[in-house]
Amino acid sequence: MLYPMFMMVMLTYVVMLITVRVRTSSVRRGEVPMSYFSVFQGENIPEMVHKTNRHFDNLFEMPVLFYLAGLLYIALDLSDPFPITCAWAFVVFRVIHTCVHLGYNNIRHRLVAFTLGNLCVLAMWISIVISGAG
């Protein structure tokens, strides 16, 4: 379980670096005033700045339930492979979601990846509760 959790941490850092790069570039090009980043309010902000900010924030929403399920799996010393499979599937769907969102941004494709990833976390939780209840 540690490896899929580590991969989500790595994805978060990659998105953080992309976000910093996009922010820095937009300020250097004069597209966004530095003051925008103090309260994240302003007009005519480039779409990529909004997307990377929102995507980075999103990595601290649903993934929290993923990390908690992973820690619970480890703490309960469970051995059922199903939650680990679900964890890896979640990571894969989150990588796809990131690529779509920060790339060509097709909302339907993003929604499918987002939904399937969230269902993986739900399956993790259900499996862990069933395995840990014994």
Side-chain angles (χ1 to χ4, degrees):
M1 186 61 72
L2 187 60
Y3 294 123
M5 291 170 59
F6 176 71
M7 291 309 296
M8 274 304 298
V9 169
M10 297 313 311
L11 176 63
T12 302
Y13 272 93
V14 166
V15 171
M16 180 190 71
L17 292 173
I18 291 169
T19 302
V20 168
R21 189 177 136 257
V22 166
R23 288 178 182 181
T24 303
S25 297
S26 67
V27 170
R28 282 188 186 144
R29 287 191 304 268
E31 298 170 338
V32 178
M34 183 71 85
S35 61
Y36 167 79
F37 296 104
S38 64
V39 291
F40 291 91
Q41 291 182 344
E43 297 179 24
N44 301 321
I45 303 303
E47 180 180 315
M48 194 60 174
V49 172
H50 283 297
K51 281 195 318 186
T52 56
N53 287 340
R54 180 66 191 115
H55 198 78
F56 185 65
D57 289 346
N58 184 262
L59 288 170
F60 293 95
E61 293 171 358
M62 182 55 79
V64 170
L65 295 177
F66 165 76
Y67 292 124
L68 189 56
L71 290 173
L72 189 60
Y73 179 90
I74 293 167
L76 292 174
D77 198 28
L78 299 176
S79 59
D80 182 2
F82 182 72
I84 295 173
T85 302
C86 291
W88 277 115
F90 176 72
V91 171
V92 168
F93 287 125
R94 288 310 298 223
V95 168
I96 292 168
H97 179 261
T98 296
C99 292
V100 171
H101 192 201
L102 300 183
Y104 65 98
N105 201 21
N106 179 295
I107 295 171
R108 285 190 180 121
H109 296 170
R110 226 173 74 207
L111 179 61
V112 168
F114 186 77
T115 301
L116 291 174
N118 291 344
L119 289 174
C120 289
V121 173
L122 178 60
M124 281 176 70
W125 270 99
I126 292 169
S127 178
I128 288 167
V129 167
I130 289 169
S131 296

